[in-house]
Amino acid sequence: MSSPAPAAIRQAATVLLLRDAAAGLEVYLLRRTRGMPFAGGMSAYPGGGVDERDGDTDLAWIGPPPADWAAAFGCDERLARELVCAAVRETFEEAGVLLAGPDDGAGVVPDVSGDDWEAQRQALLAHELSLAELLAGRGLALRADLLRPFAHWITPPEERRRYDTKFFAALLPAGQEARDVSGEADEAVWTTPAAALDEHAGGTRPMLPPTIHTLGQLAPFPDAAAALLGSPPAPLEPIMPTFAEGPDGRWALLPDGTRIRMVVPLPS
């Protein structure tokens, strides 16, 4: 009997939202609610799949053009535009943080927490409004210059749900606050990468291999500026793990030989 064909791959974007705190560099993590069809009970960064309207060309854009992102992620310019827009849209939808500013390039919008903003965030979630329409209506531009390419992971063929995910890093804009507004998370925390990795090792914060590995990449940086400056040079090599079972548990194996122990969510 022939093996079933691998699941179709969906394009996705996720954002390592960073800030500086007394404890050092912190990153924003959401714990996905149990019962979610993908990664339920796992801690992850804000992010999600590309929407069909993320490719809208009618939006003001500040920063590296789509051609530069295409070179970083090894894709065409249309997909690069969609990925950057998805990163900005998902960060607003899931964390209430908007990487945008006046279309004359004068800074970043300082506060997006009012009732009018919330109504538009809900409209985005309901697909009643596109990111381009939201920005145009407020005279804002997408701030691609606030993002950095950070990693590229592809779900292996044996998984039922497959994603080709581009990871971005971004500094929390001054005046804005990340908020647990996604409806898909039961916990939202700012934490140092080292603390999150310690919790994972202790079995109290399950995470998928891309989250674990990128936290390890962040951990050596003393602050957000260093992390953004130290983002890997383009083009990024995609990482597709394989999995192995052993007497000591299940492991994800990366192409460079790295082994990442898999931890399942604790029972409710």
Side-chain angles (χ1 to χ4, degrees):
M1 182 181 295
S2 61
S3 301
I9 299 178
R10 185 177 182 191
Q11 295 291 332
T14 193
V15 177
L16 287 66
L17 196 58
L18 310 176
R19 75 176 186 185
D20 293 321
L25 172 66
E26 291 187 333
V27 62
Y28 189 68
L29 290 176
L30 300 168
R31 187 175 64 196
R32 296 168 65 84
T33 55
R34 297 177 189 277
M36 292 282 292
F38 180 77
M42 300 282 189
S43 289
Y45 311 114
V50 167
D51 182 89
E52 62 182 12
R53 293 200 287 179
D54 286 329
D56 288 352
T57 57
D58 292 334
L59 89 170
W61 180 293
I62 295 173
D68 289 9
W69 295 100
F73 289 126
C75 63
D76 61 43
E77 289 188 31
R78 176 177 174 82
L79 178 56
R81 174 183 288 275
E82 292 173 342
L83 290 163
V84 173
C85 289
V88 172
R89 176 181 53 76
E90 289 283 346
T91 303
F92 184 50
E93 289 180 357
E94 296 199 344
V97 170
L98 185 60
L99 302 175
D103 55 16
D104 62 2
V108 183
V109 60
D111 180 27
V112 292
S113 61
D115 291 344
D116 55 338
W117 283 106
E118 178 58 17
Q120 291 193 304
R121 193 187 68 80
Q122 292 289 342
L124 275 179
L125 285 167
H127 303 285
E128 298 166 353
L129 183 71
S130 71
L131 179 66
E133 290 167 342
L134 184 156
L135 296 180
R138 290 180 174 269
L140 297 175
L142 179 148
R143 289 290 304 270
D145 58 327
L146 301 181
L147 293 161
R148 299 289 185 276
F150 198 84
H152 179 184
W153 284 70
I154 302 174
T155 312
E158 62 267 26
E159 294 298 308
R160 288 191 309 110
R161 293 176 179 271
R162 300 192 67 203
Y163 296 91
D164 184 332
T165 305
K166 280 59 170 194
F167 287 70
F168 299 79
L171 176 67
L172 177 71
Q176 295 192 37
E177 293 291 339
R179 299 173 288 124
D180 181 12
V181 292
S182 72
E184 298 180 351
D186 59 17
E187 179 193 65
V189 296
W190 285 100
T191 181
T192 65
L197 291 170
D198 285 346
E199 290 172 342
H200 172 264
T204 60
R205 186 174 293 283
M207 297 181 286
L208 292 175
T211 313
I212 300 164
H213 193 260
T214 50
L215 284 170
Q217 291 176 286
L218 282 178
F221 294 113
D223 53 37
L228 294 174
L229 191 63
S231 293
L236 295 170
E237 289 294 329
I239 298 172
M240 183 187 296
T242 57
F243 299 105
E245 301 280 352
D248 53 351
R250 190 170 190 238
W251 295 81
L253 311 178
L254 306 191
D256 66 359
T258 300
R259 300 171 79 241
I260 299 174
R261 187 184 182 112
M262 303 291 288
V263 176
V264 299
L266 295 171
S268 299

